[in-house]
Amino acid sequence: MLSRLARHVVPVFGQLTVTADEGAERLPVGIVVANHSSLADPAIVLAALQRLGTRPVVMATAGLWRIPVLGGVLAREGHIPVHRGDPRASRSLDLAQEALEQGRHILIYAEGGLPDRKDAAEAAPGAFRRGLARLAERTGAPVIPVGQAGARRVVSGSVAKQWAGLATAPLRRPRLHVHVGAPLMLEGGGDGGGALTARAHLAVTAAWRTAASRLGEPAALAA
């Protein structure tokens, strides 16, 4: 339901284009990891993946499950709450592993949160947490790097600015782009996941650069 809803709603708020590296047009079951820059980008990424025939299970902050209506939808569709700094955190990886074993993709935001910025400009992905590497090592699933650009043109900044951006986006219809990189295997780290996490971060950053360059964003070239 979320993927289908995103597919219909996102075109109202912006002009979405999608590209993929050779070999990424048909995604193997695996862990999709995307850069996180705006409250709008999960819907944008879901809409892009829907075009590629993929409807992932989303791993997201547990607080979303407390939002009326949305929380019920997330629970009913089997999306996975992430309880950071909580004994239940390991359960999130267990549920993700079960979903992968059932043949479903997982969408994870390895940065663990949104950037603390007020402007709408593009910037490279922040540091990744190591949960992604642990999940990849545990399951042997490929990691699919995704870069999105333009989401901050829909919503960014203060709460008031975000509401204003959302209200005017249907009139402005900003350009949005998602680029899907070639799948990679994260294995053989041996250092607590540091090297594997760095590899994944590099791949997502490359995908983000491609997405941002499609929008003509100079930050993508200079960062």
Side-chain angles (χ1 to χ4, degrees), residues 26-44:
R26 296 181 61 85
L27 300 179
V29 172
I31 306 163
V32 179
V33 57
N35 63 305
H36 198 17
S37 64
S38 163
L39 290 173
D41 65 61
I44 293 167

Side-chain angles (χ1 to χ4, degrees), residues 123-147:
F128 281 6
R129 297 172 182 264
R130 297 193 181 188
L132 167 64
R134 290 199 298 270
L135 181 60
E137 284 192 295
R138 180 193 292 193
T139 62
V143 169
I144 302 159
V146 169

Side-chain angles (χ1 to χ4, degrees), residues 1 11 44 53 64 69-70 83 96 128 145 150 156-157 161 165 168 207:
M1 177 178 174
I44 293 167
L64 295 177
V69 181
L70 176 61
H83 301 270
F128 281 6
S156 60
K161 187 176 178 182
T168 60

Side-chain angles (χ1 to χ4, degrees), residues 22-61:
E22 185 176 353
E25 301 90 347
R26 296 181 61 85
L27 300 179
V29 172
I31 306 163
V32 179
V33 57
N35 63 305
H36 198 17
S37 64
S38 163
L39 290 173
D41 65 61
I44 293 167
V45 170
L46 286 175
L49 293 175
Q50 170 87 350
R51 292 188 186 182
L52 298 177
T54 300
R55 300 176 183 176
V57 172
V58 181
M59 296 183 73
T61 180

Side-chain angles (χ1 to χ4, degrees), residues 23 30 35 43 50 57-58 79 94-96 98 100 113 142 168 172 177 190 195:
N35 63 305
Q50 170 87 350
V57 172
V58 181
H79 299 289
D94 294 337
L95 293 172
E98 291 174 11
L100 288 165
T168 60
R172 296 182 289 111
H177 193 84

Side-chain angles (χ1 to χ4, degrees), residues 10-16 38 40 44 119-122 149-176 215 217:
V10 168
V12 175
F13 292 91
Q15 305 171 65
L16 175 62
S38 163
I44 293 167
D119 61 277
E122 290 295 321
R152 293 184 66 81
R153 298 178 178 182
V154 180
V155 292
S156 60
S158 66
V159 173
K161 187 176 178 182
Q162 290 186 47
W163 279 112
L166 194 63
T168 60
L171 299 176
R172 296 182 289 111
R173 301 200 68 245
R175 293 173 59 214
L176 315 166
L215 300 184
E217 286 282 354

